[in-house]
Amino acid sequence: MDIGLILLKVLALFMALTFHEFAHGWVARRLGDPTAESQGRLTLNPKDHIDPFGTVLLPAMLILMKSPVVFGWAKPVPIDPRNFKDPRRGMMWSALAGPMINLFLAGVLAVVFKAMLMAGIHMRGLLLFLIIAIQLNVFLAIFNLIPIPPLDGGRVMVGLLPPRQAMAYSRIEPYGFMIVIALMYFNILDRFVFYPIQVILRFLGIG
C-alpha cells in the first residue's frame, strides 16, 4: 500500500468536501439564512466539516480495499429554509451550490495542471495530487446531482417540481440512500454517473 498515494487521496477528499459544504452555507447566507455562519460552519477549515464515518472511516475502508472509486461526505451544513423568502427555491440553490463548486474547482485545478505541464514543471507528487483532486471533484459533483433526496440533485428536483408533486417526491428522502445503493448494485446508474464523468474529464483534458 502506497502511503503517499493514500495521503494524496485523503487530502483531495478533504478539500473537495470542505469546498462543497462551504458553498452550501455561503449561498444560503447570500439568500438570507445565517444558520451556517452562526454555528461556525461557514469556513474552509476542514476540521469543522469532518464526519467521523463519512469523511474518515468510509474513505479509509475504500482506499484499503483498493476501490477504484473513493468518496465520502462531510457533516451537512445546517440550513433553515424558514429564513429564505422562497424556502423551496432557497433550498434548491443552496443544494446546487455544492456540486457547482466541485465542478468549478475541478476546472481551476485542470488549468493549473496544464499550465504546469506547459511550463515544464514535472513535480510528480503535485501533478498526481491534481489529477486525483480533479477526478474526485467531478465524481462528487455528478454523484450528488443524482435527483434522489437527500442528495443535492434530489433537493434541486424538489425545488423544480410543482408544490404538490414536490411534497410527494420529498417523502422518499428517508429511503434515498437505499434507492441509490440498489441502483448502483444493478448498474442502473452507470450511464447517468460514469458517462458524464468521463465526458467532463475528457473536456478538462484529464480523461
Side-chain angles (χ1 to χ4, degrees):
M1 182 64 65
D2 188 334
I3 300 300
L5 182 60
I6 292 175
L7 291 176
L8 291 179
K9 289 182 177 181
V10 170
L11 180 60
L13 181 64
F14 275 30
M15 180 180 68
L17 292 177
T18 297
F19 273 88
H20 185 99
E21 294 303 324
F22 174 82
H24 285 320
W26 186 83
V27 170
R29 183 67 186 88
R30 297 282 294 180
L31 294 175
D33 176 34
T35 307
E37 184 178 37
S38 66
Q39 295 188 20
R41 296 295 305 282
L42 198 59
T43 174
L44 287 174
N45 188 338
K47 75 178 182 63
D48 294 316
H49 301 292
I50 289 176
D51 176 90
F53 181 77
T55 316
V56 180
L57 185 58
L58 177 62
M61 291 171 56
L62 292 172
I63 292 172
L64 291 174
M65 293 168 59
K66 298 183 179 180
S67 169
V69 175
V70 177
F71 68 97
W73 59 82
K75 288 190 299 184
V77 164
I79 295 175
D80 188 346
R82 293 174 297 181
N83 291 320
F84 297 135
K85 291 182 180 179
D86 183 336
R88 288 201 310 125
R89 296 291 177 172
M91 287 298 294
M92 181 187 75
W93 290 116
S94 299
L96 191 59
M100 292 301 100
I101 196 65
N102 287 130
L103 290 176
F104 176 77
L105 189 56
V108 171
L109 295 176
V111 170
V112 173
F113 177 80
K114 293 178 182 179
M116 287 182 62
L117 293 182
M118 292 177 62
I121 302 174
H122 297 286
M123 299 171 62
R124 183 179 179 277
L126 181 54
L127 290 173
L128 181 57
F129 169 76
L130 290 172
I131 292 174
I132 292 171
I134 292 166
Q135 293 173 337
L136 186 56
N137 273 281
V138 173
F139 175 81
L140 285 176
I142 300 304
F143 183 82
N144 273 285
L145 285 173
I146 296 172
I148 299 175
L151 295 176
D152 295 326
R155 301 194 188 281
V156 172
M157 181 65 73
V158 169
L160 293 174
L161 290 171
R164 181 177 296 181
Q165 287 82 354
M167 185 175 295
Y169 194 70
S170 65
R171 292 196 186 102
I172 71 172
E173 181 165 337
Y175 317 102
F177 279 118
M178 290 187 290
I179 295 172
V180 170
I181 291 172
L183 293 175
M184 293 177 66
Y185 180 80
F186 291 106
N187 297 320
I188 296 174
L189 285 182
D190 283 4
R191 68 175 63 184
F192 301 106
V193 175
F194 293 108
Y195 178 72
I197 289 173
Q198 292 170 355
V199 170
I200 293 172
L201 290 176
R202 282 199 295 266
F203 175 78
L204 295 175
I206 303 299

